[in-house]
Coordinates of all heavy atoms in Angstrom, one line a residue:
V1 N 0.8 -1.2 0.0 CA 0.0 0.0 0.0 C 0.9 1.2 0.0 O 1.8 1.4 0.9 CB -0.9 0.0 1.2 CG1 -1.8 1.2 1.3 CG2 -1.8 -1.3 1.3
D2 N 0.7 2.1 -0.9 CA 1.5 3.3 -1.0 C 1.2 4.3 0.2 O 0.2 4.2 0.9 CB 1.3 4.1 -2.3 CG 0.0 4.8 -2.5 OD1 -1.0 4.4 -1.9 OD2 0.0 5.9 -3.1
S3 N 2.1 5.2 0.4 CA 2.1 6.0 1.6 C 0.8 6.9 1.8 O 0.4 7.1 2.9 CB 3.3 6.9 1.5 OG 3.2 8.2 1.8
S4 N 0.3 7.5 0.7 CA -0.9 8.3 0.8 C -2.2 7.5 1.2 O -3.0 7.9 2.0 CB -1.1 9.1 -0.4 OG -1.4 8.2 -1.5
K5 N -2.2 6.2 0.6 CA -3.3 5.4 1.1 C -3.2 4.9 2.4 O -4.2 4.9 3.2 CB -3.5 4.1 0.1 CG -4.0 4.4 -1.2 CD -4.1 3.2 -2.1 CE -4.6 3.5 -3.5 NZ -4.7 2.3 -4.3
R6 N -2.0 4.6 2.9 CA -1.8 4.2 4.3 C -2.1 5.4 5.3 O -2.7 5.2 6.3 CB -0.3 3.8 4.5 CG 0.0 3.3 5.9 CD 1.4 2.5 5.9 NE 1.4 1.9 7.2 CZ 2.2 2.4 8.1 NH1 2.8 3.5 8.0 NH2 2.2 1.7 9.3
R7 N -1.7 6.6 4.9 CA -2.0 7.7 5.7 C -3.4 8.0 5.9 O -4.0 8.3 6.9 CB -1.3 9.0 5.1 CG -1.0 10.1 6.0 CD -0.2 11.2 5.5 NE 0.5 10.7 4.3 CZ 1.0 11.5 3.5 NH1 1.0 12.8 3.6 NH2 1.7 11.1 2.4
L8 N -4.2 7.9 4.7 CA -5.7 8.0 4.7 C -6.3 7.0 5.6 O -7.2 7.3 6.3 CB -6.2 7.9 3.3 CG -7.7 8.4 3.0 CD1 -7.9 9.8 3.5 CD2 -8.0 8.2 1.6
K9 N -5.8 5.7 5.5 CA -6.4 4.7 6.3 C -6.2 5.0 7.9 O -7.1 4.8 8.6 CB -5.6 3.4 6.0 CG -6.3 2.1 6.6 CD -5.5 0.9 6.2 CE -6.1 -0.3 7.0 NZ -5.4 -1.5 6.5
L10 N -5.0 5.5 8.2 CA -4.8 5.9 9.6 C -5.7 7.1 10.0 O -6.1 7.1 11.2 CB -3.2 6.3 9.7 CG -2.3 5.1 9.7 CD1 -0.9 5.7 9.6 CD2 -2.5 4.2 10.8
I11 N -5.8 8.0 9.1 CA -6.7 9.2 9.5 C -8.1 8.7 9.8 O -8.7 9.1 10.8 CB -6.7 10.2 8.4 CG1 -5.3 10.9 8.2 CG2 -7.8 11.2 8.6 CD1 -5.2 11.7 7.1
Y12 N -8.7 7.9 8.9 CA -10.0 7.4 9.1 C -10.1 6.5 10.4 O -11.1 6.5 11.1 CB -10.6 6.7 8.0 CG -11.1 7.6 7.0 CD1 -10.4 7.9 5.7 CD2 -12.3 8.2 7.1 CE1 -10.9 8.9 4.8 CE2 -12.8 9.1 6.2 CZ -12.1 9.5 5.1 OH -12.6 10.4 4.1
R13 N -9.0 5.7 10.7 CA -9.0 4.9 11.9 C -9.1 5.8 13.1 O -9.8 5.6 14.1 CB -7.8 4.1 12.0 CG -7.9 3.1 13.2 CD -6.6 2.3 13.3 NE -5.6 3.1 13.9 CZ -4.3 2.9 14.0 NH1 -3.8 1.8 13.4 NH2 -3.5 3.7 14.6
E14 N -8.3 7.0 13.1 CA -8.3 7.9 14.2 C -9.7 8.6 14.3 O -10.2 8.7 15.5 CB -7.3 9.0 14.0 CG -5.9 8.5 14.2 CD -5.5 8.0 15.6 OE1 -5.9 8.6 16.5 OE2 -4.8 7.0 15.7
I15 N -10.3 8.9 13.3 CA -11.7 9.4 13.3 C -12.7 8.5 13.9 O -13.5 9.0 14.7 CB -12.1 9.9 11.9 CG1 -11.2 11.2 11.4 CG2 -13.6 10.3 11.9 CD1 -11.4 11.5 9.9
K16 N -12.6 7.3 13.6 CA -13.5 6.3 14.2 C -13.3 6.3 15.7 O -14.2 6.1 16.5 CB -13.2 4.9 13.5 CG -13.9 4.8 12.2 CD -13.4 3.5 11.5 CE -14.0 2.3 12.2 NZ -13.8 1.0 11.4
L17 N -12.1 6.4 16.1 CA -11.8 6.4 17.6 C -12.4 7.6 18.2 O -13.0 7.6 19.3 CB -10.2 6.3 17.8 CG -9.6 5.0 17.6 CD1 -8.0 5.1 17.6 CD2 -10.0 3.8 18.5
V18 N -12.1 8.8 17.6 CA -12.7 10.0 18.1 C -14.2 10.0 18.2 O -14.7 10.5 19.2 CB -12.2 11.2 17.3 CG1 -12.9 12.5 17.7 CG2 -10.7 11.3 17.4
K19 N -14.9 9.4 17.3 CA -16.3 9.2 17.4 C -16.8 8.5 18.7 O -17.9 8.9 19.1 CB -16.8 8.5 16.2 CG -16.8 9.3 14.9 CD -17.2 8.5 13.7 CE -18.6 8.8 13.4 NZ -19.1 8.1 12.2
H20 N -16.0 7.7 19.2 CA -16.3 6.9 20.5 C -16.0 7.7 21.8 O -16.3 7.2 22.8 CB -15.8 5.6 20.4 CG -16.3 4.7 19.3 ND1 -17.6 4.3 19.3 CD2 -15.8 4.3 18.1 CE1 -17.9 3.6 18.2 NE2 -16.7 3.6 17.4
V21 N -15.2 8.7 21.7 CA -14.8 9.5 22.9 C -16.0 10.4 23.3 O -16.6 11.0 22.6 CB -13.6 10.4 22.5 CG1 -13.3 11.3 23.7 CG2 -12.4 9.6 22.2
N22 N -16.3 10.1 24.6 CA -17.4 10.9 25.1 C -17.1 11.3 26.6 O -17.1 10.5 27.5 CB -18.7 10.0 25.2 CG -19.9 10.8 25.6 OD1 -19.9 12.0 25.6 ND2 -21.0 10.1 25.9
H23 N -16.7 12.6 26.7 CA -16.3 13.1 27.9 C -16.7 14.6 27.9 O -16.6 15.3 26.9 CB -14.8 13.0 28.1 CG -14.4 13.4 29.6 ND1 -14.2 14.7 29.9 CD2 -14.2 12.5 30.6 CE1 -13.8 14.7 31.3 NE2 -13.8 13.4 31.6
D24 N -17.3 15.0 29.1 CA -17.7 16.5 29.2 C -16.7 17.5 28.9 O -17.0 18.6 28.5 CB -18.3 16.7 30.6 CG -19.6 15.9 30.9 OD1 -20.2 15.5 29.9 OD2 -19.9 15.7 32.1
S25 N -15.5 17.2 29.1 CA -14.4 18.2 28.9 C -13.8 18.2 27.5 O -12.8 18.9 27.3 CB -13.3 18.0 30.0 OG -13.8 18.2 31.2
L26 N -14.2 17.3 26.6 CA -13.6 17.1 25.4 C -14.6 17.4 24.3 O -15.8 17.3 24.4 CB -13.1 15.7 25.1 CG -12.0 15.3 26.1 CD1 -11.7 13.8 25.9 CD2 -10.8 16.1 26.0
A27 N -14.2 17.9 23.1 CA -15.0 18.2 22.0 C -15.6 16.9 21.5 O -15.0 15.8 21.4 CB -14.2 18.8 20.8
K28 N -16.9 16.9 21.1 CA -17.6 15.8 20.7 C -17.7 15.9 19.1 O -18.1 16.9 18.6 CB -19.0 15.8 21.3 CG -20.0 14.7 20.8 CD -19.6 13.3 21.4 CE -20.5 12.3 21.0 NZ -20.0 11.0 21.1
L29 N -17.3 14.8 18.4 CA -17.4 14.8 16.9 C -18.8 14.6 16.6 O -19.4 13.6 17.0 CB -16.5 13.6 16.5 CG -16.5 13.5 14.9 CD1 -16.0 14.8 14.2 CD2 -15.7 12.3 14.5
I30 N -19.4 15.5 15.8 CA -20.8 15.4 15.4 C -20.8 14.9 14.0 O -21.7 14.0 13.7 CB -21.4 16.8 15.5 CG1 -21.5 17.3 16.9 CG2 -22.9 16.8 14.9 CD1 -21.9 18.7 17.1
D31 N -19.9 15.3 13.1 CA -20.1 14.9 11.7 C -18.7 15.1 11.1 O -17.8 15.9 11.7 CB -21.1 15.7 11.0 CG -21.6 15.0 9.7 OD1 -21.1 13.9 9.3 OD2 -22.4 15.7 9.0
L32 N -18.5 14.6 9.9 CA -17.3 15.0 9.2 C -17.6 15.0 7.6 O -18.6 14.2 7.2 CB -16.2 14.0 9.4 CG -16.4 12.6 9.0 CD1 -15.5 12.3 7.8 CD2 -16.0 11.6 10.2
F33 N -16.9 15.7 6.9 CA -17.1 15.6 5.4 C -15.8 16.0 4.8 O -14.9 16.6 5.4 CB -18.2 16.6 5.0 CG -18.0 18.0 5.4 CD1 -17.4 19.0 4.5 CD2 -18.3 18.6 6.6 CE1 -17.1 20.3 4.8 CE2 -18.1 19.8 7.0 CZ -17.5 20.7 6.1
S34 N -15.7 15.7 3.5 CA -14.5 16.0 2.8 C -14.7 16.9 1.6 O -15.7 16.7 1.0 CB -13.6 14.8 2.4 OG -14.5 14.0 1.5
V35 N -13.8 17.8 1.2 CA -13.9 18.6 0.1 C -12.5 18.6 -0.6 O -11.5 18.8 0.1 CB -14.3 20.0 0.4 CG1 -14.3 20.9 -0.8 CG2 -15.7 20.1 1.1
D36 N -12.5 18.2 -1.9 CA -11.2 18.0 -2.5 C -10.4 17.1 -1.7 O -10.8 15.9 -1.5 CB -10.5 19.3 -2.7 CG -11.3 20.2 -3.7 OD1 -12.0 19.8 -4.6 OD2 -11.3 21.5 -3.4
Q37 N -9.2 17.5 -1.2 CA -8.4 16.6 -0.4 C -8.3 16.9 1.0 O -7.4 16.6 1.7 CB -7.0 16.5 -1.1 CG -7.0 15.9 -2.5 CD -5.7 15.4 -2.9 OE1 -4.6 15.6 -2.2 NE2 -5.6 14.8 -4.1
S38 N -9.3 17.7 1.4 CA -9.3 18.1 2.9 C -10.4 17.4 3.6 O -11.5 17.2 3.1 CB -9.5 19.5 3.1 OG -8.4 20.2 2.4
I39 N -10.2 17.1 4.9 CA -11.3 16.4 5.7 C -11.7 17.5 6.8 O -10.7 17.9 7.4 CB -10.8 15.1 6.4 CG1 -10.5 14.0 5.3 CG2 -11.9 14.6 7.4 CD1 -9.8 12.8 5.9
Y40 N -12.9 17.7 6.9 CA -13.4 18.7 7.9 C -14.2 17.9 9.0 O -15.1 17.2 8.7 CB -14.3 19.8 7.2 CG -13.5 20.6 6.3 CD1 -13.5 20.2 4.9 CD2 -12.9 21.7 6.7 CE1 -12.7 20.9 4.0 CE2 -12.2 22.4 5.7 CZ -12.1 22.1 4.4 OH -11.4 22.8 3.5
L41 N -13.8 18.3 10.3 CA -14.6 17.7 11.4 C -15.5 18.7 12.0 O -15.1 19.8 12.2 CB -13.6 17.2 12.5 CG -12.5 16.2 12.0 CD1 -11.6 15.9 13.2 CD2 -13.1 14.9 11.5
V42 N -16.8 18.3 12.2 CA -17.7 19.2 12.8 C -17.8 18.7 14.3 O -18.2 17.6 14.5 CB -19.1 19.1 12.1 CG1 -20.1 20.0 12.9 CG2 -19.0 19.5 10.6
T43 N -17.5 19.6 15.2 CA -17.5 19.2 16.6 C -18.3 20.2 17.4 O -18.6 21.3 17.0 CB -16.1 19.3 17.2 OG1 -15.5 20.6 17.1 CG2 -15.2 18.3 16.4
H44 N -18.7 19.7 18.6 CA -19.3 20.5 19.6 C -18.3 20.6 20.8 O -17.9 19.6 21.3 CB -20.6 19.9 20.1 CG -21.3 20.7 21.2 ND1 -20.7 20.9 22.4 CD2 -22.5 21.3 21.2 CE1 -21.5 21.6 23.1 NE2 -22.6 21.9 22.4
S45 N -17.8 21.8 21.0 CA -16.8 21.9 22.1 C -17.4 22.3 23.4 O -18.4 22.8 23.5 CB -15.7 22.9 21.7 OG -16.3 24.1 21.6
P46 N -16.7 21.8 24.5 CA -17.2 22.1 25.8 C -17.1 23.6 26.1 O -16.4 24.4 25.4 CB -16.2 21.4 26.8 CG -15.0 21.1 25.9 CD -15.5 21.0 24.5
G47 N -17.7 24.1 27.1 CA -17.8 25.5 27.4 C -16.4 26.2 27.8 O -16.2 27.3 27.5
I48 N -15.6 25.4 28.4 CA -14.2 25.9 28.9 C -13.2 25.7 27.9 O -13.2 24.6 27.2 CB -13.9 25.3 30.2 CG1 -12.7 26.0 30.8 CG2 -13.6 23.8 30.1 CD1 -12.5 25.6 32.3
N49 N -12.3 26.7 27.7 CA -11.3 26.6 26.7 C -10.0 26.6 27.5 O -9.5 27.8 27.9 CB -11.4 27.7 25.7 CG -10.4 27.6 24.6 OD1 -9.2 27.1 24.8 ND2 -10.7 28.2 23.5
L50 N -9.3 25.6 27.6 CA -8.0 25.5 28.5 C -7.0 26.4 27.8 O -6.2 27.1 28.5 CB -7.6 24.0 28.6 CG -6.3 23.8 29.5 CD1 -6.6 24.3 30.9 CD2 -5.9 22.4 29.4
E51 N -6.8 26.3 26.5 CA -5.8 27.1 25.8 C -6.0 28.6 26.1 O -5.1 29.3 26.4 CB -5.9 26.9 24.3 CG -4.8 27.6 23.6 CD -4.9 27.4 22.1 OE1 -6.0 27.0 21.6 OE2 -3.9 27.6 21.4
K52 N -7.3 29.1 26.1 CA -7.6 30.5 26.4 C -7.2 30.8 27.9 O -6.7 31.8 28.2 CB -9.0 30.7 26.1 CG -9.4 32.2 26.0 CD -8.6 32.9 24.8 CE -9.6 33.1 23.7 NZ -8.9 33.7 22.6
L53 N -7.5 29.9 28.8 CA -7.3 30.0 30.2 C -5.7 30.3 30.4 O -5.2 31.0 31.2 CB -7.7 28.9 31.1 CG -9.2 28.8 31.4 CD1 -9.5 27.4 32.2 CD2 -9.6 29.9 32.3
I54 N -5.0 29.5 29.7 CA -3.5 29.5 29.8 C -2.9 30.8 29.1 O -2.1 31.5 29.8 CB -2.8 28.2 29.2 CG1 -3.2 27.0 30.1 CG2 -1.3 28.4 29.2 CD1 -2.8 25.7 29.5
E55 N -3.4 31.1 27.9 CA -2.9 32.3 27.2 C -3.1 33.5 28.0 O -2.3 34.4 28.0 CB -3.6 32.3 25.8 CG -3.0 31.4 24.8 CD -3.7 31.5 23.5 OE1 -4.8 32.3 23.4 OE2 -3.3 30.8 22.5
T56 N -4.4 33.7 28.5 CA -4.7 34.9 29.2 C -4.3 35.0 30.7 O -4.6 35.9 31.4 CB -6.3 35.1 29.1 OG1 -6.9 34.0 29.9 CG2 -6.8 35.2 27.8
E57 N -3.7 33.8 31.1 CA -3.2 33.6 32.5 C -4.3 33.6 33.5 O -4.2 33.8 34.7 CB -2.1 34.6 32.9 CG -0.9 34.5 32.0 CD 0.2 35.4 32.4 OE1 0.0 36.2 33.5 OE2 1.3 35.4 31.8
E58 N -5.5 33.4 32.9 CA -6.8 33.3 33.8 C -6.7 32.0 34.7 O -7.2 32.1 35.8 CB -8.1 33.2 33.0 CG -8.9 34.4 32.9 CD -10.2 34.1 32.1 OE1 -11.1 33.6 32.6 OE2 -10.2 34.5 31.0
I59 N -5.9 31.1 34.2 CA -5.8 29.9 35.1 C -5.1 30.2 36.4 O -5.4 29.6 37.5 CB -5.0 28.8 34.4 CG1 -5.3 27.4 35.0 CG2 -3.6 29.2 34.3 CD1 -5.1 26.3 34.2
L60 N -4.3 31.3 36.5 CA -3.7 31.7 37.7 C -4.7 32.2 38.7 O -4.4 32.2 39.9 CB -2.6 32.8 37.4 CG -1.4 32.3 36.5 CD1 -0.5 33.5 36.2 CD2 -0.6 31.2 37.1
N61 N -5.8 32.7 38.2 CA -6.9 33.3 39.1 C -7.7 32.2 39.6 O -8.7 32.5 40.5 CB -7.7 34.3 38.3 CG -6.8 35.5 37.9 OD1 -5.9 35.9 38.6 ND2 -7.2 36.1 36.8
Q62 N -7.6 31.0 39.2 CA -8.5 29.9 39.6 C -8.0 29.4 41.0 O -6.9 29.5 41.3 CB -8.5 28.7 38.6 CG -8.7 29.1 37.2 CD -10.2 29.5 37.0 OE1 -11.1 28.8 37.5 NE2 -10.4 30.6 36.3
S63 N -9.0 29.0 41.8 CA -8.6 28.5 43.1 C -7.9 27.1 42.9 O -8.0 26.5 41.8 CB -9.9 28.2 44.0 OG -10.7 27.2 43.4
D64 N -7.2 26.8 44.0 CA -6.5 25.4 43.9 C -7.5 24.3 43.5 O -7.1 23.4 42.8 CB -5.7 25.1 45.2 CG -4.5 26.0 45.3 OD1 -4.0 26.6 44.3 OD2 -4.0 26.2 46.5
D65 N -8.6 24.4 44.2 CA -9.7 23.3 43.9 C -10.1 23.3 42.4 O -10.2 22.2 41.8 CB -10.9 23.5 44.8 CG -10.7 23.2 46.3 OD1 -9.7 22.4 46.6 OD2 -11.5 23.6 47.1
Q66 N -10.2 24.5 41.8 CA -10.6 24.6 40.4 C -9.5 24.0 39.5 O -9.7 23.4 38.5 CB -11.0 26.0 40.1 CG -12.3 26.4 40.7 CD -12.5 28.0 40.4 OE1 -11.6 28.8 40.7 NE2 -13.7 28.3 40.1
K67 N -8.3 24.4 40.0 CA -7.1 23.9 39.2 C -7.1 22.3 39.2 O -6.7 21.6 38.2 CB -5.8 24.4 39.7 CG -5.7 25.9 39.5 CD -4.4 26.5 40.1 CE -4.4 28.0 40.0 NZ -3.3 28.5 40.8
L68 N -7.3 21.7 40.4 CA -7.3 20.3 40.5 C -8.4 19.7 39.7 O -8.2 18.5 39.1 CB -7.5 19.9 42.1 CG -6.3 20.1 42.9 CD1 -6.7 19.8 44.4 CD2 -5.2 19.2 42.5
I69 N -9.6 20.3 39.7 CA -10.7 19.7 38.9 C -10.3 19.8 37.4 O -10.5 18.8 36.7 CB -12.0 20.6 39.1 CG1 -12.6 20.3 40.4 CG2 -13.0 20.3 38.0 CD1 -13.6 21.3 40.9
L70 N -9.7 20.8 36.9 CA -9.1 21.0 35.5 C -8.2 19.8 35.2 O -8.3 19.2 34.2 CB -8.5 22.3 35.2 CG -9.5 23.4 35.1 CD1 -8.7 24.8 35.0 CD2 -10.4 23.3 33.8
M71 N -7.2 19.6 36.2 CA -6.2 18.5 36.0 C -6.9 17.2 35.9 O -6.6 16.4 35.1 CB -5.2 18.6 37.2 CG -4.3 19.8 37.1 SD -3.1 19.8 35.7 CE -2.2 18.4 36.1
K72 N -7.8 16.9 36.8 CA -8.6 15.7 36.8 C -9.3 15.4 35.5 O -9.2 14.4 34.9 CB -9.5 15.6 38.0 CG -10.3 14.3 38.0 CD -11.3 14.4 39.2 CE -12.1 13.1 39.2 NZ -13.2 13.1 40.2
Q73 N -9.9 16.4 35.0 CA -10.6 16.4 33.7 C -9.7 16.1 32.6 O -10.0 15.3 31.7 CB -11.4 17.7 33.5 CG -12.6 17.8 34.4 CD -13.3 19.1 34.2 OE1 -12.7 20.1 33.6 NE2 -14.5 19.3 34.7
M74 N -8.5 16.7 32.6 CA -7.6 16.5 31.6 C -7.0 15.0 31.6 O -7.0 14.4 30.5 CB -6.3 17.4 31.6 CG -6.7 18.8 31.2 SD -5.2 19.8 31.2 CE -4.8 20.1 32.8
F75 N -6.7 14.6 32.8 CA -6.3 13.1 32.8 C -7.4 12.1 32.5 O -7.1 11.1 32.0 CB -5.7 12.9 34.3 CG -4.4 13.5 34.5 CD1 -4.2 14.4 35.5 CD2 -3.4 13.3 33.6 CE1 -3.0 15.0 35.7 CE2 -2.1 14.0 33.8 CZ -1.9 14.7 34.8
Q76 N -8.7 12.4 32.9 CA -9.8 11.5 32.5 C -9.9 11.5 31.0 O -10.2 10.5 30.4 CB -11.0 12.1 33.1 CG -11.2 11.8 34.6 CD -12.4 12.4 35.2 OE1 -13.0 13.4 34.7 NE2 -12.9 11.8 36.3
G77 N -9.7 12.6 30.3 CA -9.7 12.7 28.9 C -8.7 11.9 28.2 O -8.8 11.4 27.1
L78 N -7.5 11.7 28.9 CA -6.4 10.8 28.4 C -6.6 9.3 28.6 O -6.0 8.5 28.0 CB -5.0 11.2 29.1 CG -4.7 12.7 28.7 CD1 -3.3 13.0 29.5 CD2 -4.3 12.8 27.2
N79 N -7.5 9.1 29.6 CA -7.6 7.6 29.9 C -8.4 6.9 29.0 O -9.3 7.2 28.3 CB -8.4 7.6 31.3 CG -8.4 6.2 31.8 OD1 -7.8 5.3 31.3 ND2 -9.1 6.1 33.0

């Protein structure tokens, strides 16, 4: 199998895995479609944006309990 077909097969395998991920803190895959040679994922994202919290340093204003909750949610998402 040539490299591009193998890569496409891996992409679709990953998408199938993502469809089964269900956690309140992670984006939920709703649909996907392709146009030309691009694949677009339609997601519903959770209300909190960790990247924004870190960029704006808002995370520093969170209580220790809130930071622990965020850490727990991140580790649950990896599990």
Side-chain angles (χ1 to χ4, degrees):
V1 179
D2 75 326
S3 136
S4 62
K5 285 184 180 179
R6 185 167 190 259
R7 202 170 345 165
L8 189 59
K9 185 177 177 181
L10 289 172
I11 290 169
Y12 278 104
R13 188 183 79 193
E14 291 294 321
I15 290 170
K16 285 172 71 175
L17 289 172
V18 169
K19 287 175 94 173
H20 294 289
V21 172
N22 187 13
H23 190 277
D24 292 341
S25 300
L26 299 174
K28 176 76 176 159
L29 179 61
I30 297 171
D31 198 6
L32 66 107
F33 60 94
S34 62
V35 175
D36 297 325
Q37 293 197 358
S38 297
I39 298 172
Y40 296 91
L41 305 177
V42 179
T43 63
H44 179 296
S45 62
I48 191 166
N49 183 334
L50 183 61
E51 182 180 21
K52 197 63 106 179
L53 282 175
I54 293 169
E55 282 179 357
T56 62
E57 297 184 3
E58 255 185 80
I59 198 159
L60 300 175
N61 299 328
Q62 305 294 316
S63 71
D64 287 342
D65 287 341
Q66 289 169 316
K67 290 175 190 171
L68 286 172
I69 289 169
L70 286 171
M71 291 294 291
K72 180 181 176 186
Q73 289 173 342
M74 285 189 289
F75 287 125
Q76 285 175 335
L78 295 174
N79 190 2

